[in-house]
């Protein structure tokens, strides 16, 4: 059977996914459990080292791809079980360091299920995420209009934070002592 390659690089920081040509059979490279392949540019050499190790240990398998790439492919092929596996892998690979970038990234903006996973993580880890360098960068990009879809993401985030009582919708009224 001949393999065909589907270009998943638009929003993927890793590599294209490999799809088996036989009907109903999909083969994609996945990372070794516990590997964290983040979008942090400082992690570039670490990511490459993980890829090199994987390829040397598993030369007959496709290289690892990001959970977002797997999700996009599974969505395209309407493979719900694979979509869920990709969402599960994404949820375990998020860190407070990369979550803001993922929340405002094109895959989160394009796919509601991905946005929900990342949004849930951000809300659950709000104190650490809002203190991160990534959050400050994404906030500035949203403020200046550099991120398409940022208004909706911010609205969803603020609404969820308010629902969980992590922020207040209106300031508390100050009471003053009577004169």
């Amino acid at each position: 059977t001949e393999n065909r390659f589907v270009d998943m690089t638009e929003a993927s920081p890793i590599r294209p996914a490999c799809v088996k040509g036989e009907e109903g059979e999909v083969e994609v490279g996945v990372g070794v459990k516990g590997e964290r392949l983040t979008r942090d540019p400082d992690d570039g050499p670490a990511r490459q080292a993980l890829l090199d190790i994987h390829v040397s240990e598993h030369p007959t398998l496709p290289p690892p791809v990001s959970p977002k790439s797997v999700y996009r492919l599974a969505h395209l092929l309407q493979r719900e079980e694979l979509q869920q596996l990709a969402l599960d892998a994404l949820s375990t690979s998020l860190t407070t360091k990369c979550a803001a970038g993922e929340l405002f990234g094109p895959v989160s903006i394009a796919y509601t299920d991905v946005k929900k996973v990342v949004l849930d993580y951000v809300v659950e880890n709000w104190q650490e995420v809002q203190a991160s360098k990534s959050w400050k960068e994404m906030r500035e990009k949203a403020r200046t209009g550099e991120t398409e879809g940022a208004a909706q993401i911010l609205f969803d985030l603020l609404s969820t934070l308010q629902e969980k009582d992590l922020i207040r919708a209106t300031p508390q009224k100050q009471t003053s002592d009577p004169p």
Side-chain angles (χ1 to χ4, degrees):
T1 301
E2 184 179 317
N3 289 340
R4 63 184 172 92
F5 290 88
V6 177
D7 186 7
M8 301 296 286
T9 57
E10 179 183 314
S12 171
I14 310 297
R15 305 236 183 188
C18 175
V19 180
K20 203 71 163 158
E22 296 174 23
E23 186 177 328
E25 187 176 333
V26 178
E27 183 181 310
V28 284
V30 293
V32 177
K33 188 171 181 156
E35 289 179 356
R36 293 194 181 263
L37 301 174
T38 67
R39 298 186 92 177
D40 189 329
D42 297 335
D43 289 345
R47 178 184 304 134
Q48 188 59 51
L50 288 172
L51 289 170
D52 292 344
I53 290 167
H54 177 81
V55 170
S56 69
E57 290 176 358
H58 309 284
T60 61
L61 293 178
V65 294
S66 76
K68 294 178 301 182
S69 292
V70 174
Y71 181 85
R72 291 175 63 212
L73 179 61
H75 187 269
L76 175 73
L77 298 173
Q78 300 177 354
R79 307 293 275 198
E80 291 181 19
E81 185 178 330
L82 186 55
Q83 287 177 44
Q84 189 56 55
L85 289 170
L87 291 172
D88 293 345
L90 175 62
S91 72
T92 61
S93 69
L94 291 169
T95 67
T96 56
K97 194 174 170 181
C98 73
E102 297 298 348
L103 183 61
F104 288 92
V107 178
S108 254
I109 291 169
Y111 297 96
T112 304
D113 291 339
V114 172
K115 179 174 69 174
K116 180 175 179 355
V117 166
V118 179
L119 183 64
D120 288 348
Y121 179 88
V122 168
V123 169
E124 185 177 316
N125 297 281
W126 178 238
Q127 293 304 317
E128 295 87 3
V129 171
Q130 73 172 336
S132 72
K133 178 181 170 186
S134 177
W135 173 255
K136 291 170 179 71
E137 290 170 359
M138 292 297 106
R139 187 180 64 197
E140 182 61 20
K141 285 183 178 185
R143 187 186 70 74
T144 60
E146 291 179 54
T147 303
E148 187 177 325
Q152 184 64 50
I153 295 289
L154 284 171
F155 178 81
D156 293 344
L157 175 60
L158 291 173
S159 296
T160 306
L161 289 169
Q162 181 185 357
E163 288 169 10
K164 305 244 182 210
D165 288 327
L166 295 172
I167 61 169
R168 292 186 169 274
T170 55
Q172 283 184 315
K173 290 182 182 178
Q174 288 192 337
T175 58
S176 57
D177 294 326

